[in-house]
């Protein structure tokens, strides 16, 4: 029983903030602290989610967004891992590419959106390119730094044992860099979802971002809150 107390206390602390926010949301809608157009009542939002679920539109738009994230994230993560490995393992590539890449990476992906529209249009290619680039930047940075941070003593140990370059990478570099690699992939997934919503708000005729835009333009504020909640739930999963 004594061992359960810290666990229960941790669970209570974890759920306390969401419960307080839900309570504040309910009180705000009940006493009219904020206009309904800005913050609709919780029961209205839940009723709208149920309605969208029944008619299938929420599932349809969610699947479209999930497909875009899956394709864009896969392309961006693979490109980021390959580029980061080349930058981390090949000093010649790093000396030429790293300064340019870091300069470009400082600019937010969404700032390139108008330029990308000129080159790839506003169709599906734009969504995939934006999501892939948003994913590739943090993955590349994390991969490069994780490889660069591998202890030189471990690499030297591989040379002492006469490891081939491929053996040094697979037996020494990769295990040492793996935790940072997973961190970069996780950051890339979060960036992919953020760019997805923005690019769907900007130029799309389906998906959760479009559903939010359509709801806001038609003054269906409770509908606008529903896909936002659904997208956040998908990220948490």
């Amino acid at each position: 029983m004594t061992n359960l107390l810290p666990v229960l206390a941790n669970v209570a602390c974890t759920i306390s903030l969401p419960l307080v926010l839900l309570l504040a949301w309910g009180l705000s809608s009940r006493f009219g602290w904020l206009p309904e157009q800005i913050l609709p009542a919780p029961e209205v939002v839940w009723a709208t989610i149920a309605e969208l679920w029944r008619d299938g539109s929420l599932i349809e738009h969610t699947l479209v967004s999930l497909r875009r994230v899956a394709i864009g994230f896969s392309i961006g993560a693979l490109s980021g891992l390959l580029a980061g490995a080349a930058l981390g393992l090949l000093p010649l590539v790093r000396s030429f590419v790293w300064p340019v890449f870091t300069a470009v990476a400082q600019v937010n992906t969404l700032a390139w959106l108008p330029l990308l529209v000129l080159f790839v249009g506003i169709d599906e290619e734009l969504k995939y390119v934006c999501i892939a680039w948003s994913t590739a930047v943090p993955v590349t940075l994390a991969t490069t730094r994780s490889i660069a941070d591998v202890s030189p003593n471990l690499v030297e140990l591989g040379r002492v044992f006469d490891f081939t370059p491929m053996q040094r990478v697979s037996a020494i570099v990769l295990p040492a860099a793996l935790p940072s690699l997973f961190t970069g992939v996780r950051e890339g997934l979060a960036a992919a979802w953020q760019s997805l919503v923005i690019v769907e708000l900007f130029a799309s005729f389906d998906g959760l971002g479009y559903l939010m835009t359509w709801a806001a333009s038609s003054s269906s504020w409770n509908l606008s809150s529903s896909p936002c909640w659904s997208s956040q739930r998908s990220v948490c999963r």
Side-chain angles (χ1 to χ4, degrees), residues 5 7 15 30 55 69 73 87 99 117 121 135 154 188 203 218 228 232:
L5 291 178
V7 177
I15 65 175
R30 181 178 180 85
D55 62 23
V69 168
F73 173 76
L87 290 169
V117 171
T135 303
L154 294 176
S218 61
C228 181
Q232 292 297 324

Side-chain angles (χ1 to χ4, degrees), residues 80-128:
L81 290 172
L82 294 176
L87 290 169
L89 295 172
L90 304 175
L92 183 61
V93 175
R94 183 166 60 249
S95 62
F96 279 101
V97 178
W98 182 251
V100 178
F101 175 79
T102 51
V104 174
Q106 298 303 315
V107 182
N108 191 280
T109 308
L110 302 178
W112 298 105
L113 203 54
L115 187 63
L116 291 174
V117 171
L118 295 176
F119 287 98
V120 300
I122 61 172
D123 294 329
E124 287 297 297
E125 292 80 3
L126 176 66
K127 287 81 170 174
Y128 296 145

Side-chain angles (χ1 to χ4, degrees), residues 142-206:
T143 304
T144 303
R145 290 168 180 167
S146 64
I147 294 175
D149 290 341
V150 174
S151 174
N153 294 331
L154 294 176
V155 179
E156 184 62 28
L157 182 64
R159 293 194 181 97
V160 170
F161 282 98
D162 201 22
F163 282 4
T164 64
M166 187 59 67
Q167 288 176 327
R168 288 200 295 268
V169 170
S170 61
I172 297 176
V173 175
L174 184 58
L178 207 55
S180 298
L181 290 180
F182 280 117
T183 301
V185 171
R186 184 181 61 188
E187 293 175 354
L189 181 59
W193 272 103
Q194 293 171 6
S195 62
L196 166 79
V197 174
I198 298 299
V199 77
E200 286 185 342
L201 289 171
F202 178 75
S204 182
F205 299 101
D206 49 14

Side-chain angles (χ1 to χ4, degrees), residues 27-145:
L27 292 176
S28 175
S29 63
R30 181 178 180 85
F31 295 103
W33 295 343
L34 289 174
E36 185 180 354
Q37 291 83 359
I38 297 178
L39 189 65
E43 58 270 16
V44 176
V45 174
W46 282 108
T48 306
I49 292 176
E51 179 184 350
L52 292 173
W53 181 269
R54 284 193 299 268
D55 62 23
S57 58
L58 183 58
I59 299 176
E60 178 185 353
H61 288 285
T62 301
L63 290 176
V64 170
S65 296
L66 287 174
R67 187 194 71 233
R68 288 170 177 162
V69 168
I71 296 175
F73 173 76
S74 300
I75 296 173
L78 180 60
S79 302
L81 290 172
L82 294 176
L87 290 169
L89 295 172
L90 304 175
L92 183 61
V93 175
R94 183 166 60 249
S95 62
F96 279 101
V97 178
W98 182 251
V100 178
F101 175 79
T102 51
V104 174
Q106 298 303 315
V107 182
N108 191 280
T109 308
L110 302 178
W112 298 105
L113 203 54
L115 187 63
L116 291 174
V117 171
L118 295 176
F119 287 98
V120 300
I122 61 172
D123 294 329
E124 287 297 297
E125 292 80 3
L126 176 66
K127 287 81 170 174
Y128 296 145
V129 169
C130 287
I131 295 172
W133 176 252
S134 299
T135 303
V137 170
V139 173
T140 303
L141 291 173
T143 304
T144 303
R145 290 168 180 167

